Amino acid sequence: MDRLVFILVVLAVATAAGLWWRSRNGRYTAIDPALLTSDDPTPPGSDLLGPAQLGSPLGSRATFVQLSSEVCAPCRRTHAVLGALAAEHEDLAHVDLDVAEHLDLVRRFNVLRTPTTLVLDAQGAVVGRLSGGTDRHHALAALSQLPASTSPASTTTATRSHS
Amino acid sequence: MSLPPTPAGIDPRGPRFGAALTAVLLVLVLALPAPASVVVLAVVVASFAVGAVRGVGGTWQGWVYRRFVRPRLAAPIELEDPRPPRFAQLVGLVITGLGLLLALVGVAAAVPVAAALALVAAFLNAVFGLCLGCEMYLLGVRLRARAAA
């Protein structure tokens, strides 16, 4: 009897953990815009990333910096989703970096899981991140939350249909 | 782009089906009394060892999937990189292997603890498609880099 109860408790804990994990996947967390514009001595605005660190040019509207690992299946699907978005929109860019080769970025932005996708604005400032496997819906939602001042040319792409 | 080229993909439903079989065995480990539970745990350890060396497709669970399940299913919508599930087998091997080793040197409580941890991971893999070991991989990389520095 005790054994059965223990098994049921273990399975209940696993179910709760699984539901929590699923609800968090692809969630976009924006950095507070007030922090981005404040003149704090160490503003997050100093977290600028540029072509030098990324190895490729920034998108004129936004750049997805995906941090992936070799042992991560959702990373492949996320790569396909973000790669397709960047291919469809001239003003978007997508960079996929291996965490093992970019531990500096992992530490700097306190990345705990793969895939984590940093969302950069036109200047290369990190304005938010997508945590976990990301689908098209999640990525578009993140783009819609970009601070308005950093997406001057977004209206042309927002109306283009792509199904 | 800096990721290495991916090897030939596998059907992602295979590892999840295998994890379901492993979960059933781990429930048995938790349900059975002492000598039998250690024997079943040893079977699980051996399965993980094969999976860690040969990949998930090389395990008996992979064989059962190909032989009995895959013929009844439609072709997979997408293929998956075989390395993440193989890494997960290695994580499972470490957890259950430690439990078995401790049980063999007399720490009987290690059997249910290891089986419960592995059951959570196998259950999450089978039901949610979540690879717990893969989620923890980055934490391991960070710790190792800190130790080396």
Side-chain angles (χ1 to χ4, degrees):
Chain A
M1 188 60 203
D2 282 352
R3 292 172 195 272
L4 183 63
V5 171
F6 182 61
I7 291 166
L8 290 178
V9 167
V10 168
L11 293 181
V13 167
T15 304
L19 291 173
W20 176 77
W21 172 78
R22 196 157 65 181
S23 74
R24 279 183 58 94
N25 267 348
R27 199 177 65 165
Y28 178 69
T29 314
I31 291 172
D32 186 350
L35 283 174
L36 287 175
T37 51
S38 75
D39 45 14
D40 191 88
T42 56
S46 64
D47 286 345
L48 283 178
L49 287 174
Q53 291 107 319
L54 302 178
S56 68
L58 292 172
S60 61
R61 176 180 165 212
T63 304
F64 293 111
V65 180
Q66 180 185 343
L67 295 163
S68 301
S69 63
E70 191 186 318
V71 301
C72 159
C75 294
R76 306 286 150 38
R77 289 193 288 275
T78 301
H79 181 106
V81 165
L82 298 179
L85 264 182
E88 288 163 20
H89 299 273
E90 275 178 20
D91 52 1
L92 296 179
H94 172 227
V95 190
D96 194 348
L97 304 174
D98 189 335
V99 286
E101 294 164 19
H102 295 87
L103 278 171
D104 51 328
L105 291 181
V106 169
R107 291 228 184 75
R108 189 165 146 199
F109 296 103
N110 197 28
V111 174
L112 295 176
R113 65 191 293 216
T114 55
T116 291
T117 305
L118 303 172
V119 181
L120 311 189
D121 67 8
Q123 286 76 42
V126 177
V127 291
R129 60 168 66 188
L130 290 151
S131 177
T134 297
D135 64 19
R136 191 181 182 88
H137 187 75
H138 293 131
L140 291 173
L143 288 176
S144 72
Q145 287 192 47
L146 278 180
S149 58
T150 61
S151 52
S154 60
T155 46
T156 51
T157 51
T159 52
R160 205 193 295 167
S161 82
H162 37 70
S163 50
Chain B
M1 330 258 161
S2 62
L3 290 173
T6 51
I10 56 170
D11 184 345
R13 296 167 300 184
R16 287 181 68 170
F17 176 78
L21 294 179
T22 304
V24 171
L25 286 185
L26 289 165
V27 166
L28 275 179
V29 173
L30 291 176
L32 292 173
S37 62
V38 178
V39 171
V40 180
L41 183 62
V43 172
V44 173
V45 171
S47 305
F48 277 138
V50 174
V53 174
R54 298 177 55 188
V56 177
T59 60
W60 63 268
Q61 295 101 320
W63 181 82
V64 170
Y65 177 76
R66 277 193 306 277
R67 178 78 178 74
F68 297 104
V69 182
R70 174 82 184 260
R72 297 163 198 273
L73 299 177
I77 304 165
E78 53 173 9
L79 294 178
E80 182 183 71
D81 192 317
R83 288 170 299 185
R86 186 172 155 185
F87 176 75
Q89 296 279 307
L90 180 64
V91 175
L93 173 64
V94 170
I95 293 173
T96 54
L98 269 177
L100 184 62
L101 270 179
L102 286 172
L104 292 179
V105 300
V107 188
V111 173
V113 171
L117 288 175
L119 176 57
V120 168
F123 180 86
L124 286 173
N125 195 343
V127 176
F128 293 96
L130 159 59
C131 171
L132 198 58
C134 306
E135 290 276 328
M136 292 164 66
Y137 170 82
L138 181 55
L139 300 178
V141 168
R142 292 181 64 159
L143 284 177
R144 210 165 44 204
R146 187 170 306 163

